């Protein structure tokens, strides 16, 4: 009788967990939905309730019309493809450079103390100031944009990876040494798994940096891309077109960030996500 009761209690608890999980997910999503509705409502009401000119804040209907204009979508598609090629390639190169350099600096503290201050000094320089120099060196096109993206990507990956590798418990390191594990085995089976949460935090920052770097590179010197289209719309005083392009950039950035967060939950499954992470 007691065993049966225990089984039924455990079953009821197990059945309640999916419902609680769904409730938590819904509570996590309802906040952003309320904020979005409030922003849309304010955007609709502001032009009619104030004397703000339409060229400053265009009505939402004009932005939606510019965003859904079939004649504009070939240009949007070309701009997205051009910008995302720089973002994607820059992410691959920047992450590879950041991870590789972080592993090297974590294993060689002397090298870390010698070069890390100069890496910080390079990161402190605004990339908008460096972009014209990259245009002189690499010309108008993918090369100059790619350098800007890589510079904005590799630093957060580098810093977060180094901190993650330094957080490895020394007792566990000693245990691996006593067991006769090689440096490669210790790195692959202990250091990297411990540093994965920090690495993915760096990746989330890197995705945003890649978007910023690509657009900054297109502002300074490029012939195609969403950044160039923003400059063209600005020159025409087409504020609705500028807002439409900004919405496209925001949507792409959110999609990339969501992809990284989903990948983080699949890979770093032993770390409880933050309450805001409901994807």
């Amino acid at each position: 009788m007691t065993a049966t009761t225990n089984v039924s209690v455990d079953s009821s608890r197990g059945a309640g967990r999916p419902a609680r999980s769904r409730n938590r997910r819904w509570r996590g999503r309802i906040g952003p939905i309320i904020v979005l509705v409030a922003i849309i409502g304010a955007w609709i009401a502001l032009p009619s309730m104030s004397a703000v000119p339409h060229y400053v804040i265009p009505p939402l209907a004009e932005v939606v019309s510019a965003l859904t204009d079939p004649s504009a979508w070939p240009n949007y598609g070309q701009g997205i493809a051009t910008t995302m090629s720089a973002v994607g390639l820059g992410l691959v190169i920047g992450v590879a450079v950041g991870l590789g350099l972080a592993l090297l600096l974590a294993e060689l503290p002397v090298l870390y103390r010698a070069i890390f201050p100069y890496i910080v000094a390079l990161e402190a320089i605004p990339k908008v100031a460096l972009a014209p120099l990259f245009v002189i060196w690499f010309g108008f096109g993918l090369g100059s944009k790619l350098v800007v993206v890589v510079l904005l990507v590799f630093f957060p990956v580098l810093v977060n990876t180094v901190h993650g590798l330094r957080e490895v418990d020394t007792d566990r390191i000693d245990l691996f040494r006593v067991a006769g594990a090689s440096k490669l085995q210790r790195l692959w089976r202990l250091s990297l798994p411990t540093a994965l949460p920090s690495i993915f935090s760096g990746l989330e920052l890197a995705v945003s940096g890649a978007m910023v770097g690509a657009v900054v590179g297109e502002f300074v010197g490029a012939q195609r891309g969403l950044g160039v289209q923003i400059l063209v719309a600005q020159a025409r005083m087409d504020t609705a077109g500028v807002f439409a392009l900004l919405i496209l950039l925001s949507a792409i950035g959110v999609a990339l960030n969501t992809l990284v967060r989903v990948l983080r939950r699949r890979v770093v499954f032993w770390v409880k996500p933050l309450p805001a992470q409901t994807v």
Side-chain angles (χ1 to χ4, degrees), residues 4-223:
T4 306
T5 304
N6 291 338
V7 170
S8 56
V9 170
D10 292 340
S11 299
S12 62
R13 289 178 180 174
R17 287 173 186 169
R20 288 197 298 270
S21 178
R22 286 193 296 269
N23 290 335
R24 283 196 298 268
R25 291 181 181 180
W26 172 248
R27 287 195 298 268
R29 291 190 177 101
I30 195 169
I33 292 174
I34 292 173
V35 172
L36 178 61
V37 171
I39 291 173
I40 292 175
W43 197 344
I44 293 173
L46 185 61
S48 59
M49 295 175 60
S50 65
V52 178
H54 286 187
Y55 64 84
V56 176
I57 299 180
L60 180 61
E62 292 184 11
V63 177
V64 173
S65 177
L67 191 60
T68 58
D69 184 6
S71 62
W73 265 101
N75 290 332
Y76 290 160
Q78 184 185 58
I80 291 172
T82 302
T83 301
M84 290 307 298
S85 63
V87 170
L89 190 56
L91 275 171
V92 171
I93 297 175
V95 170
V97 172
L99 285 175
L101 188 56
L103 293 173
L104 187 62
L105 295 181
E107 289 293 326
L108 301 174
V110 175
L111 186 63
Y112 174 86
R113 290 191 294 269
I115 71 172
F116 192 76
Y118 300 101
I119 296 175
V120 174
L122 177 62
E123 177 63 19
I125 301 175
K127 302 307 175 285
V128 177
L130 291 174
L133 184 62
F134 296 149
V135 172
I136 295 174
W137 288 349
F138 303 103
F140 293 88
L142 180 62
S144 56
K145 289 192 297 182
L146 197 58
V147 176
V148 177
V149 174
V150 169
L151 284 178
L152 285 171
V153 165
F154 100 98
F155 187 77
V157 175
L158 169 68
V159 172
N160 281 274
T161 303
V162 168
H163 287 320
L165 292 172
R166 289 189 162 193
E167 289 176 358
V168 181
D169 190 358
T170 54
D171 291 336
R172 293 186 177 183
I173 294 176
D174 293 338
L175 180 62
F176 268 70
R177 287 173 177 167
V178 170
S182 64
K183 285 188 176 181
L184 184 60
Q185 289 174 327
R186 190 170 70 246
L187 174 66
W188 183 253
R189 298 186 179 182
L190 176 62
S191 299
L192 282 179
T194 304
L196 275 177
S198 297
I199 292 173
F200 272 97
S201 297
L203 286 177
E204 290 191 44
L205 296 173
V207 166
S208 301
M211 295 294 299
V212 172
V215 175
V216 166
E218 289 170 353
F219 280 168
V220 175
Q223 298 174 336

Side-chain angles (χ1 to χ4, degrees), residues 225-240:
L226 292 177
V228 174
Q229 292 181 16
I230 289 174
L231 292 178
V232 172
Q234 175 258 330
R236 295 175 179 171
M237 298 294 291
D238 181 12
T239 314

